[in-house]
Amino acid sequence: MRMNEGVEWALHCCVNLSWIGPDQAVTAAKLAAFYDLPTAYLNKQLQALARAGIVSSSPGPRGGFRLAKAPARITLMDVVAAIEGPEDAFRCTEIRRQGPHAASQAEDPSPCLIDEAMRRAELAWRRELAAQTIADIRGKVEERAPDFPEQVRDWYATGKA
Amino acid sequence: MRMNEGVEWALHCCVNLSWIGPDQAVTAAKLAAFYDLPTAYLNKQLQALARAGIVSSSPGPRGGFRLAKAPARITLMDVVAAIEGPEDAFRCTEIRRQGPHAASQAEDPSPCLIDEAMRRAELAWRRELAAQTIADIRGKVEERAPDFPEQVRDWYATGKA
DNA sequence: GCACAGATACTCGGATAATCGGTGTCCGAGTTCATAAGG
DNA sequence: CCTTATGAACTCGGACACCGATTATCCGAGTATCTGTGC
């Protein structure tokens, strides 16, 4: 079980976009260059964020991506769901209904208890993700490195470190 | 992000093995036939369980698999870790150390805050999995269908539903 | 000087290949049991 | 009749193909800007 690498990229990009602010758009190429990522592939992930309403995209010159909501309203769960899709990691295939006992179990309406247990665990995971926002991450970074946001803004504006 | 299908198989097999008891071994072929699963591939999953010390395996005639520990001492976390491996789903690749800012971040010993947040969520998931045992599942099934364990034992003994 | 039409350059967006892990399968090493010979 | 050596059948165990999803890439549709012309 491995999570898409795009999730990590998307989260970092969201934090960076929160420093840029919603007034100007940043191109996928710039966002990719910041971390030496493949531009076209990062673009694909940003499209997923746009479809989920996390960022908004503008075409043409001066176009690019910007946050579509306040950072405090974007949870990690939102970003993960946007990239990974809404489906659970564990998917019950109802094997209890297969094999020699299919007949005796076919009409049983009660849910698979193993599925229930796994869902309970994933729910806890989702809860924890939903409790953390992009603003939280940003705040903690600023606590540790107060002048980092300014450096980021400068780099995106001038292209020079 | 999709979990191995083998996890579902392994959990169901562990519950079944808990009904059989540790006195007799069950072959991978029998366990597979119970749910119409591919025998050789299920065998692969059972090997993983054996390496993790969850089941013990015996070769030769009258050989097979049996639970190596009391069902109350086998958590869902144990089974998931045995099949999926011990690594986290989210793996921080430290992209903050790449690109133009590599130099300024190279010596920063503080952990990646995004990685921390994701780990916190996975920890909650692990906690929930570790809180449920095979014995718990078995107990709930027996509550709902008191004569199901007997049916299972009979099928494994005679091969007839 | 100002408005406007055209061309241009730049951006996202979805459609298209390459690569890796998960899925599925196979045959060999090792062990147990049954058998038969010998004492 | 009991012991022992032999053979055979059965099991797990790891090594070998196959497939789908993730990763990576490319070119086209659309738009804001810039330029040049006419008034």
Side-chain angles (χ1 to χ4, degrees):
Chain A
M1 186 177 54
R2 209 180 84 213
M3 179 166 288
N4 269 5
E5 202 169 1
V7 171
E8 183 185 5
W9 302 358
L11 289 172
H12 277 277
C13 286
C14 281
V15 173
N16 277 2
L17 285 175
S18 82
W19 280 319
I20 302 291
D23 296 332
Q24 48 183 325
V26 182
T27 68
K30 274 260 180 198
L31 286 166
F34 193 91
Y35 294 119
D36 249 336
L37 303 175
T39 301
Y41 190 33
L42 176 63
N43 188 23
K44 194 181 185 64
Q45 315 295 349
L46 292 169
Q47 286 174 34
L49 293 182
R51 273 191 292 270
I54 295 172
V55 303
S56 70
S57 63
S58 333
R62 304 275 298 169
F65 297 90
R66 70 193 74 190
L67 286 188
K69 301 192 290 185
R73 295 201 160 277
I74 303 174
T75 69
L76 301 195
M77 185 68 248
D78 295 331
V79 176
V80 170
I83 303 292
E84 289 285 343
E87 296 171 26
D88 285 351
F90 180 86
R91 297 172 205 178
C92 179
T93 58
E94 291 286 341
I95 60 174
R96 63 180 176 155
R97 310 260 165 112
Q98 294 176 2
H101 297 270
S104 79
Q105 299 275 317
E107 300 297 333
D108 184 5
S110 62
C112 177
L113 289 165
I114 289 175
D115 186 33
E116 265 193 350
M118 297 300 284
R119 279 186 194 281
R120 194 172 306 133
E122 288 207 29
L123 188 64
W125 177 69
R126 287 185 141 78
R127 253 187 233 287
E128 206 68 35
L129 285 180
Q132 292 269 345
T133 69
I134 295 295
D136 294 333
I137 304 279
R138 186 180 66 165
K140 288 185 185 176
V141 172
E142 290 175 356
E143 230 173 84
R144 285 192 183 164
D147 47 352
F148 189 62
E150 189 60 29
Q151 289 179 26
V152 172
R153 268 192 291 270
D154 280 354
W155 185 87
Y156 276 110
T158 65
K160 315 225 168 183
Chain B
M1 185 177 53
R2 209 179 85 213
M3 178 166 287
N4 268 6
E5 203 168 0
V7 171
E8 183 185 5
W9 302 357
L11 288 172
H12 277 277
C13 287
C14 281
V15 173
N16 278 0
L17 285 175
S18 82
W19 279 320
I20 302 291
D23 296 332
Q24 49 183 323
V26 181
T27 69
K30 274 259 179 198
L31 286 166
F34 193 91
Y35 293 119
D36 249 336
L37 303 175
T39 302
Y41 191 32
L42 177 63
N43 187 24
K44 196 182 183 64
Q45 315 295 350
L46 291 168
Q47 286 175 34
L49 293 182
R51 273 191 291 270
I54 296 171
V55 304
S56 70
S57 63
S58 333
R62 304 276 298 171
F65 297 91
R66 69 193 76 189
L67 286 188
K69 302 192 290 186
R73 295 202 160 278
I74 303 175
T75 70
L76 302 194
M77 185 68 246
D78 294 333
V79 176
V80 169
I83 303 291
E84 289 286 343
E87 297 171 26
D88 284 350
F90 181 86
R91 298 172 204 178
C92 180
T93 59
E94 292 286 342
I95 60 173
R96 63 180 177 155
R97 310 260 165 109
Q98 293 176 3
H101 297 270
S104 79
Q105 298 276 318
E107 299 296 334
D108 184 5
S110 63
C112 177
L113 288 165
I114 289 175
D115 186 33
E116 265 193 350
M118 297 299 286
R119 279 186 193 280
R120 194 172 306 133
E122 289 207 28
L123 189 64
W125 177 68
R126 288 184 139 78
R127 253 186 233 288
E128 206 68 33
L129 286 180
Q132 291 269 345
T133 69
I134 295 294
D136 294 332
I137 303 280
R138 186 181 65 165
K140 288 185 186 178
V141 172
E142 291 175 354
E143 231 173 85
R144 284 192 184 167
D147 46 352
F148 188 63
E150 189 61 29
Q151 288 179 26
V152 172
R153 266 190 293 270
D154 280 354
W155 185 86
Y156 276 110
T158 65
K160 316 225 167 182

